């Protein structure tokens, strides 16, 4: 692909549980997120060759990339209706892309191993089922390192940046606010404060300035309230690293998600 056809990268706030299959219970609570996800393919310069998803639901001590031809399903949520444990998202894997990802990472001095058994967790299949309901684009997943170091995850993104010129759409799937104990009125102000910092940091800076700010995210207002555990923030570091020198824009913003919470999603490039 030429530069005008270079794929952007995305950080998606993917919502809670299997929400697209619970409209009878949830009504239009997820309408803004659904609208954004449905429109996402139209924002791309071309149809993706494949999707590379860094999911906030796959954390490992050593970096891993899914390499199976037909990934299965992982229902990593609890106390939801029985039918949500029968969901299928039959997208193919892409072993050749998994090998290419491994090569790019190793060339950058980053150790990775392939995992042919990894299936689609809900951080992967939930947003993709809305954006690509036909499941007709191959999907590969990349884990997060369990030490969660921002600089190292930004470096992982840098090592994979060239995939954007080869038709690969890189998606970080997490949540801009993820404190399950404060998904209520008590979380409204902390989520707003942290979201304001995200907006200013991601859209107001670029290159190493933005990357440096992300490495110091814990100093942001309400950071450790918004992310008592930062597993749902780490995917942002990877997609920001993969588009380090590109501007960012907020492409999905809600005040009142989950009833009270401010959340956002971002596009880079």
């Amino acid at each position: 692909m030429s530069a005008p056809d270079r794929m952007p990268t995305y950080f998606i706030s993917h919502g809670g549980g299997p929400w697209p299959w619970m409209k009878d219970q949830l009504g239009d609570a997820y309408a803004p997120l659904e609208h954004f996800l449905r429109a996402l393919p139209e924002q791309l310069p071309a149809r993706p060759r494949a999707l590379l998803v860094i999911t906030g639901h796959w954390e490992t001590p050593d970096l891993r990339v899914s390499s199976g031809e037909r990934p299965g399903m992982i229902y990593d949520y609890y106390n939801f209706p029985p039918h949500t444990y029968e969901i299928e998202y039959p997208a193919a894997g892409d072993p050749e892309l998994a090998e290419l990802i491994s090569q790019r990472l190793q060339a950058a001095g980053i150790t990775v191993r392939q995992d042919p058994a990894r299936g689609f967790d809900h951080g992967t299949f939930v947003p993709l089922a809305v954006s690509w309901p036909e499941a007709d684009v191959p999907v590969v997943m990349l884990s997060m390192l369990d030490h969660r170091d921002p600089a190292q995850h930004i470096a992982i993104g840098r090592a994979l940046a060239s995939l954007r010129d080869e038709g690969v759409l890189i998606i970080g799937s997490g949540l801009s606010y993820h404190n399950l104990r404060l998904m209520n009125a008590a979380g409204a102000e902390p989520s707003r404060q942290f979201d304001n910092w995200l907006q200013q940091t991601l859209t107001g800076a670029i290159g190493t300035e933005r990357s440096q700010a992300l490495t110091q995210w814990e100093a942001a207002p309400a950071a450790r309230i918004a992310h008592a555990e930062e597993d749902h923030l780490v995917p942002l570091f990877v997609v920001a690293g993969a588009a380090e020198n590109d501007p960012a824009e907020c492409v999905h913003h809600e005040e009142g998600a989950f009833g009270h919470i401010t959340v956002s999603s971002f596009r880079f490039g």
Side-chain angles (χ1 to χ4, degrees), residues 4 24 28 31 41 48 87 93 104 126 151 173 196 224:
D24 288 348
D28 63 354
I87 296 165
R104 299 284 166 88
V126 167
S173 179
N196 285 345
R224 275 301 178 189

Side-chain angles (χ1 to χ4, degrees), residues 96-169:
E96 291 185 3
L97 177 58
E99 176 60 27
L100 181 60
I101 289 167
S102 299
Q103 293 173 2
R104 299 284 166 88
L105 290 168
Q106 290 164 356
I110 299 170
T111 301
V112 61
R113 66 186 178 97
Q114 297 182 25
D115 186 340
R118 179 67 187 184
F120 296 140
D121 58 67
H122 85 268
T124 302
F125 74 77
V126 167
L128 298 191
V130 180
S131 295
W132 286 275
E134 300 301 318
D136 54 356
V137 180
V139 179
V140 171
M141 293 157 287
L142 185 68
S143 74
M144 307 175 297
L145 291 165
D146 60 8
H147 58 59
R148 302 172 177 171
D149 178 69
Q152 188 159 354
H153 287 91
I154 290 170
I156 289 168
R158 287 191 194 112
L160 299 175
S162 60
L163 294 173
R164 298 171 55 205
D165 292 315
E166 299 169 48
V168 178
L169 178 65

Side-chain angles (χ1 to χ4, degrees), residues 15-38:
W19 60 266
W21 294 269
M22 295 181 61
K23 291 184 179 179
D24 288 348
Q25 296 93 336
L26 299 172
D28 63 354
Y30 281 96
L33 177 57
E34 183 173 17
H35 177 76
F36 156 62
L37 289 172
R38 287 198 184 281

Side-chain angles (χ1 to χ4, degrees), residues 5 10 62 73 123 188 198 202 217 222 246:
D5 292 330
Y10 283 85
D62 56 338
M73 302 294 292
L198 273 182
L202 299 182
W217 74 272
D246 290 336

Side-chain angles (χ1 to χ4, degrees), residues 168-256:
V168 178
L169 178 65
I170 304 175
I171 298 173
S173 179
L175 272 171
S176 59
Y177 174 93
H178 191 249
N179 185 333
L180 297 181
R181 295 183 178 182
L182 291 178
M183 288 291 187
N184 50 35
E189 182 60 18
S191 69
R192 185 193 66 80
Q193 291 180 12
F194 189 72
D195 193 87
N196 285 345
W197 178 83
L198 273 182
Q199 300 285 348
Q200 294 168 10
T201 299
L202 299 182
T203 67
I206 198 170
T208 55
E209 179 184 355
R210 184 172 65 200
S211 295
Q212 183 62 27
L214 287 174
T215 66
Q216 300 172 3
W217 74 272
E218 289 180 274
R224 275 301 178 189
I225 301 175
H227 293 279
E229 297 286 340
E230 65 266 36
D231 50 336
H232 277 55
L233 187 66
V234 171
L236 169 63
F237 305 146
V238 180
V239 299
E244 189 168 36
N245 295 313
D246 290 336
E249 62 177 313
C250 180
V251 288
H252 156 240
H253 178 76
E254 294 184 60
E255 297 177 11

Side-chain angles (χ1 to χ4, degrees), residues 7-97:
M7 286 291 171
T9 71
Y10 283 85
F11 173 72
I12 291 171
S13 288
H14 64 226
W19 60 266
W21 294 269
M22 295 181 61
K23 291 184 179 179
D24 288 348
Q25 296 93 336
L26 299 172
D28 63 354
Y30 281 96
L33 177 57
E34 183 173 17
H35 177 76
F36 156 62
L37 289 172
R38 287 198 184 281
L40 193 157
E42 301 171 6
Q43 301 174 3
L44 303 177
R47 177 182 171 84
R49 160 194 168 185
L51 310 173
L52 172 58
V53 181
I54 300 91
T55 164
H57 292 271
W58 190 18
E59 194 170 61
T60 54
D62 56 338
L63 194 63
R64 301 182 193 180
V65 59
S66 68
S67 58
E69 292 185 359
R70 289 289 171 183
M73 302 294 292
I74 300 174
Y75 305 112
D76 53 342
Y77 39 74
Y78 307 96
N79 299 319
F80 283 90
H83 74 273
T84 64
Y85 297 90
E86 299 174 359
I87 296 165
E88 294 291 335
Y89 189 69
D94 192 333
E96 291 185 3
L97 177 58

